[in-house]
Each structure stands twice: as C-alpha cells, then as structure tokens.
Amino acid sequence: MTTHVIVGSGLAGAKAAQTLREEGFDGELVLIGAERERPYERPPLSKDYLQGKSEREKIFVHPPGWYGKHDVDLRLGVSATRLALDEHVVELSDGTRQPYDKLLLATGATPRRLPGPGLTLRSVEDSETLRDGLARGGRVVIVGGGWIGLEVAAAARLAGCEVTVVEPEPLPLARVLGAEVGAVFAALHREQGVVLRLGVGVASVSDHGVRLASGETVEADLVVVGIGAAPNVELARTAGLEVACGIVCDASLRTSHPDVYAAGDVAEPYHPLYGRRLRVEHWANALNGVPAAARAMLGREVVYDRLPYFFTDQYTLGMEFTGDTTGYDEVVFEGSVPEREFVVRWSRDGRMVAGMNVNIWDGVEELQNRIRADLSRS
Ligand SMILES: Cc1cc2nc3c(=O)[nH]c(=O)nc-3n(C[C@H](O)[C@H](O)[C@H](O)COP(=O)(O)OP(=O)(O)OC[C@H]3O[C@@H](n4cnc5c(N)ncnc54)[C@H](O)[C@@H]3O)c2cc1C
C-alpha cells in the first residue's frame, strides 16, 4: 500500500490530509505533529481568542472525530527528528521509523526570542498564558511593531492595560507596508492610548521590563516579544534538501528531492508571477498552497501562483492585504484615510505589485486581478 506522510500538524498539515483524501488518495496517510493539540488555526490566538471572545473549540481545523473517520493516522506529541531521503524514512521522537512514498514537510515556524524572560505567541497555550497576563492589567511592553505585536497591543488595550510598543523601525509595519501605511497604523494605536517607542531597539528583557538600546529602561509587569518567526527548516537542512530562508521548492511545491514537498510557512516556492522565490507566513498561504502540494504529491500537474494574502483586525480597523510590496516606487491611496475607509495600491515600474483594502470589503478580488494582469504583462 502507498504511504504518504505529513510532518507538521498545523493548518497546512491538516489541510493537506483533507485534500489528499478529497482527491481520492486511499493509501495509508500519517500526520505527525509535535504539539499535543489536534490541528488548530493561529489567527484567533492574537485576536478574538486572546480577547476571550471566542470559544476554544472554534479554533480547531476539524472536529475531533474527523481524523478517525477519514482514516488519517494522527500522531500528536511526536516530532520527526531525522529524515533519511535515500531510504524514504522519517525517524520519530518516539523511537519509531516511519516509511513513506511521498512526504510533505509542513513544519511551520518558531517565534524568535530575545535572551531573558518575555512571552512569545505561537501556540494556543501561549495565547491562554498571555490572556491571563492581560487580565491582571498593569503595564505591558510589546517588543516589535509587526502584525502580532500590534494585534497584541490592541488586545492589551481592550483589556485595560497600559501598553508600550517598542519598534526599531521609524514606523510600525514599515518593513512590510512602507512608511505611508505604517503611519496609518501608528496613528490608530496612538489614538487608542498605546505609547509607541519607535526607531529604537530592545537591548535586553528582565522581569521588570526592557532596557532599550539607548540605555533607557521601560518598566513593565508583562513583556511580550513579537519579533517575527524563523521557519522550522532543520529537518530539511540536515537531510540535505535545498534550504534558503525556507525550504526551496518549485512552483508545484516540490523540494530538491522529487518525493518530498513543502507547504505553509516553512516553504519557499518559486512564484511564477513575481519571477522569484517567495516565502509567505500567512494563513491563506497555508490554506491554499497545501491543496496544490497535495495534488502534486498525487502526480497531478500543478502550478501554485496565488498572490500572498493577509488580513488583520485591530480595534475597529479590519483590512485585507494582497501581493508583495518589495521594491515599490509608488503608493496611491483612494478613499478616506481619516475615516479609515480606503484602498492602497503599491506599484513598481508602473506595475501594481500589492494592494490593501481597509474597512472596505469585497475589494480584494479586483486588486488581485489587477496585480495579476500587471505582473503578467511582458
Ligand atoms: C498568533 C498568530 C496570529 C496570526 N494571525 C494571522 C492573521 O491574522 N492573518 C494571516 O494571514 N496569518 C496569521 N498568522 C499566520 C498563520 O497562522 C500561519 O501562516 C499559519 O499558521 C501557517 O501554518 P503552517 O501549518 O504552515 O505552520 P504552523 O501553524 O506553524 O504549524 C506547523 C506545525 O508543525 C509542527 N512541527 C514543527 N516541526 C515539527 C517536527 N519536526 N515534527 C513534527 N511536528 C513539527 C509545529 O509544532 C506546528 O504544530 C498568525 C500566526 C500567529 C502565530
């Protein structure tokens, strides 16, 4: 019997198992996950779930009985420790050796830390610990003004905490969205009473707060570190697969070994429209990239060329972002920035490369169509 193995039981791993079964794969299907919880979605962990507004059961990708019903051998609390490509075997932390015909690596990413204490946010347990911390009130310092840092800042303000965000860039989100849109998010958070310490890094974290690179101390009852995540590539790297930042794949999500695929946060596939490899740490990428990888595992012709897509909710601002702003030379706003109902279009060399709609819904498809058309132009 053919055996397909998926390593990583996050959204990508769970959706891969679902797609393989939906596409008619009737062989043995093994899903290996280091976490003890069955697969769940992470976006609520910094939003509704962190704010205590949604039930735990709602975060899971599938109901508890789904895996048994679909004959998926779900092995939780078990890590893949070594991959032997020549033998087509994955070695597991429980001492067993799992053979495979095709393997999908969906090992996700791990939050970067700073030396010393400070909470990070990746797992449901992290979110629950943080929620308890926010419920105690007091002073919260958040290191990092990226997506997770800002969403935690919003949750902390809604919980009544005093919040300071420390970000080495001159504006939050500047690396992803540029200064123009970074300024919109800075204004939003300042309006809500968040203190932004911009243009300065954190030198160290202690039980009493953080010391800034400038030497100044910012006291805190709780420190949250949201400085990005590193893809979990060790398994692939030590096996000899090609790894850049993530696991290098072609447009069908196949790695440098023909029987091994990668998807989700850990994958760095070639994107045919952008003409380069793109590693995307977004929910929609785990959701949509995986069916492509699963079909490729079944021998179908696949080209994964979806545009990156991300959403966030902070206070009353909801937004969808699509594309990639790298190297943009023009940014245009349409609508009302003061009323926070607007669309942003980023372009490079006269071609639209990214777009965003803020508190305007149903606009993302139009933005994506335009980006696709522009990027396809020779
Ligand atoms: C708090 C938070 C909020 C987010 N909010 C948004 C949002 O609003 N919008 C958005 O677009 N994206 C958001 N994201 C990003 C999105 O959740 C990720 O892109 C998505 O979870 C990626 O899924 P994945 O399955 O690739 O990786 P993961 O979810 O990281 O899952 C990988 C799994 O593999 C396991 N694993 C790793 N190594 C091994 C091994 N050797 N053996 C066995 N198992 C292993 C890990 O323990 C983990 O369970 C958020 C992420 C976080 C953390």
Side-chain angles (χ1 to χ4, degrees), residues 8 11-12 34-35 42 46-47 80 107-108 122 265 282-283 310-311:
L11 177 63
E35 291 188 68
R42 299 187 198 273
S46 52
K47 305 179 187 65
T107 47
R122 185 82 193 175
D265 282 10
H282 295 166
W283 168 88
F310 182 83
F311 63 92

Side-chain angles (χ1 to χ4, degrees), residues 20-362:
L20 285 168
R21 285 299 186 228
E22 282 172 358
E23 294 282 327
F25 176 65
D26 60 1
E28 190 185 3
L29 184 50
V30 182
L31 175 54
I32 294 158
E35 291 188 68
R36 294 197 178 276
E37 299 284 353
R38 72 181 194 273
Y40 58 89
E41 305 213 11
R42 299 187 198 273
L45 305 183
S46 52
K47 305 179 187 65
D48 295 20
Y49 191 67
L50 178 61
Q51 293 168 20
K53 289 186 190 159
S54 72
E55 293 161 31
R56 199 170 202 273
E57 202 45 40
K58 288 200 174 146
I59 66 172
F60 293 99
V61 182
H62 296 113
W66 186 91
Y67 299 92
K69 191 171 163 201
H70 292 85
D71 202 11
V72 176
D73 181 1
L74 178 61
R75 298 197 206 153
L76 296 175
V78 179
S79 296
T81 51
R82 185 173 163 267
L83 169 57
L85 293 172
D86 291 348
E87 295 173 80
H88 281 60
V89 162
V90 191
E91 292 178 2
L92 305 180
S93 56
D94 62 6
T96 57
R97 287 166 58 82
Q98 175 60 54
Y100 64 84
D101 291 284
K102 303 271 184 204
L103 176 72
L104 177 70
L105 296 174
T107 47
T110 301
R112 295 182 205 277
R113 305 192 64 94
L114 289 172
L119 298 179
T120 53
L121 178 53
R122 185 82 193 175
S123 68
V124 62
E125 291 83 8
D126 296 338
S127 179
E128 288 163 357
T129 305
L130 181 54
R131 189 170 60 195
D132 293 346
L134 298 183
R136 286 194 288 275
R139 298 156 303 175
V140 177
V141 169
I142 297 162
V143 186
W147 296 116
I148 288 189
L150 294 186
E151 289 179 359
V152 172
R157 284 302 294 142
L158 292 169
C161 302
E162 284 174 38
V163 181
T164 303
V165 174
V166 185
E167 164 59 49
E169 294 285 322
L171 285 163
L173 294 170
R175 260 187 301 252
V176 204
L177 302 178
E180 301 85 351
V181 176
V184 173
F185 280 87
L188 171 75
H189 281 269
R190 284 193 173 117
E191 228 170 64
Q192 297 288 336
V194 174
V195 175
L196 297 179
R197 300 297 309 266
L198 302 173
V200 62
V202 164
S204 62
V205 181
S206 75
D207 288 327
H208 310 290
V210 298
R211 196 166 59 77
L212 304 183
S214 59
E216 191 188 338
T217 299
V218 183
E219 292 192 355
D221 303 297
L222 182 66
V223 177
V224 183
V225 178
I227 55 171
N232 295 322
V233 294
E234 299 72 22
L235 197 61
R237 197 195 298 279
T238 52
L241 292 173
E242 192 184 345
V243 171
C245 175
I247 302 173
V248 171
C249 308
D250 64 16
S252 71
L253 297 155
R254 193 189 338 220
T255 69
S256 53
H257 189 284
D259 294 326
V260 183
Y261 295 75
D265 282 10
V266 78
E268 188 178 324
Y270 178 79
H271 197 292
L273 285 175
Y274 287 99
R276 61 188 157 85
R277 292 196 312 264
L278 213 55
R279 193 176 73 80
V280 178
E281 282 184 12
H282 295 166
W283 168 88
N285 179 54
L287 195 71
N288 299 319
V290 150
R295 285 186 199 107
M297 286 168 82
L298 297 175
R300 318 266 161 79
E301 281 291 316
V302 168
V303 176
Y304 181 62
D305 66 355
R306 285 253 194 166
L307 294 173
Y309 166 90
F310 182 83
F311 63 92
T312 187
D313 294 311
Q314 297 172 28
Y315 314 104
T316 54
L317 183 150
M319 81 91 202
E320 294 175 289
F321 168 83
T322 188
D324 179 26
T325 59
T326 306
Y328 77 91
D329 52 29
E330 190 186 9
V331 56
V332 176
F333 287 73
E334 294 158 18
S336 170
V337 176
E339 285 167 36
R340 301 218 170 89
E341 274 188 27
F342 59 92
V343 173
V344 189
R345 294 165 191 263
W346 288 264
S347 304
R348 186 178 61 234
D349 300 330
R351 290 166 201 245
M352 188 172 158
V353 288
M356 168 191 267
N357 42 302
V358 173
N359 288 340
I360 293 175
W361 305 107
D362 303 328

